[in-house]
Amino acid sequence: MSGVLVLAATPIGQVGDAPPRLAAELAGADVVAAEDTRRLKRLLTDLGVETTGRVTSYFEGNEAARTPVLLEELLGGARVLLVTDAGMPGVSDPGYRLVAAAVEAGIRVTAVPGPSAVLTALAVSGLPVDRFCFEGFLPRKAGERARRLEGLAAEERTMVFFEAPHRTAATLAAMADALGADRPGAVCRELTKTYEEIRRGGLAELAAWAEDGVRGEVTLVVAGATPPGPADIADDADALRAAVADQEAAGSSRKDAIKAVAAATGVGRRDLYDLVHRTDG
């Protein structure tokens, strides 16, 4: 009989936030796969738990090679517990490869729910939470980052990002350029920890604040684009048509021109398409 893969959330700050089932799963697992075995040891000490299972490392550098090994143990009936340094495995942390392999092999996958920097930051940001998307880490290179943000300019859902502290100022400045200086955002630093800090404001304001340096784990939350109403589109119809025509004159296809103008203005692509082609007709 096949075993079970258990994904267990670990505290993002205070150890008291550990879900009650975590201690039981750590004690009873046949194999504990940890992103950092040293942090696992500290967690076990803090929780007052001893694990009798085999402990192995499972991190970005060995994830591809270690996945088949763990899969064999699962196929042999083992209960494998996967933990990362903080939060839920697989969310910008190791785990996806093993989950995908286990699902493909017909192995049961379950989870111990618990702390999540994504949901915690979203909840305290003060921004809309009814619809949101998680974008993880943006590209490190400035050009790639700018292109990714350009593609998100018309995204109407609240967006959540992870970022390294030493890149936070540059990322916020790039966001201000691509999404608008006054677009509301929140910088959530050291969530649930002793020096937790949440800064809210326009993206340009936040970028200026971050220039003095940011420390600790950082999660960024950014408001989505405000969709223009029909009246707004009608009022700007001539300007929108002219912007598309300018893009085409510069060599863009009609499709790419509409895509570029939609991203720059926040007008929905379908609305812009209908506007341009209604004029052509």
Side-chain angles (χ1 to χ4, degrees), residues 138-150 170-171 174:
L138 289 168
R140 296 183 182 184
K141 294 183 178 179
E144 294 177 7
R145 181 175 57 211
R147 285 189 290 275
R148 176 76 64 82
L149 288 170
E150 181 182 346
T171 292

Side-chain angles (χ1 to χ4, degrees), residues 171-214:
T171 292
L172 287 167
M175 287 178 168
D177 287 341
L179 308 180
D182 295 327
R183 178 82 70 97
V187 179
C188 304
R189 188 181 72 82
E190 294 289 88
L191 285 169
T192 78
K193 299 177 183 177
T194 302
Y195 297 104
E196 176 182 274
E197 182 179 18
I198 301 165
R199 301 281 301 197
R200 303 176 182 88
L203 290 173
E205 176 188 347
L206 292 172
W209 164 79
E211 287 179 357
D212 291 334
V214 178

Side-chain angles (χ1 to χ4, degrees), residues 5-185:
L5 173 61
V6 182
L7 310 175
T10 55
I12 61 175
Q14 300 184 34
V15 71
D17 292 335
R21 274 182 53 207
L22 179 59
E25 291 288 354
L26 286 166
D30 298 306
V31 180
V32 179
E35 184 178 9
D36 186 329
T37 56
R38 294 167 298 180
R39 290 200 181 191
L40 172 64
K41 185 176 180 180
R42 289 198 296 271
L43 179 62
L44 291 169
T45 299
D46 290 340
L47 294 176
V49 175
E50 290 186 10
T51 181
T52 58
R54 182 175 70 84
V55 174
T56 186
S57 64
Y58 189 76
F59 58 94
E60 184 179 0
N62 71 1
E63 188 176 1
R66 194 59 54 87
T67 293
V69 177
L70 292 173
L71 183 62
E72 283 299 315
E73 304 213 46
L74 286 164
L75 290 170
R79 189 175 187 85
V80 176
L81 180 69
L82 178 60
V83 295
T84 52
D85 292 346
M88 180 61 71
V91 182
S92 283
D93 275 334
Y96 170 74
R97 278 193 177 96
L98 184 56
V99 172
V103 170
E104 179 68 21
I107 293 167
R108 181 185 170 212
V109 179
T110 187
V112 178
S116 165
V118 175
L119 295 180
T120 302
L122 180 69
V124 302
S125 68
L127 298 173
V129 299
D130 53 333
R131 298 176 65 230
F132 71 93
C133 59
F134 175 58
E135 290 292 328
F137 285 91
L138 289 168
R140 296 183 182 184
K141 294 183 178 179
E144 294 177 7
R145 181 175 57 211
R147 285 189 290 275
R148 176 76 64 82
L149 288 170
E150 181 182 346
L152 293 171
E155 173 59 64
E156 296 177 11
R157 295 171 293 179
T158 298
M159 296 168 279
V160 184
F161 303 83
F162 286 161
E163 191 51 278
H166 64 279
R167 290 197 298 269
T168 298
T171 292
L172 287 167
M175 287 178 168
D177 287 341
L179 308 180
D182 295 327
R183 178 82 70 97

Side-chain angles (χ1 to χ4, degrees), residues 222-236:
V222 180
T226 301
D232 298 322
I233 296 174
D235 291 343
D236 296 335

Side-chain angles (χ1 to χ4, degrees), residues 239-256:
L240 290 169
R241 295 188 193 103
V244 172
D246 288 344
Q247 290 281 337
E248 290 183 288
S252 295
S253 66
R254 173 65 61 85
K255 179 180 179 181
D256 287 343

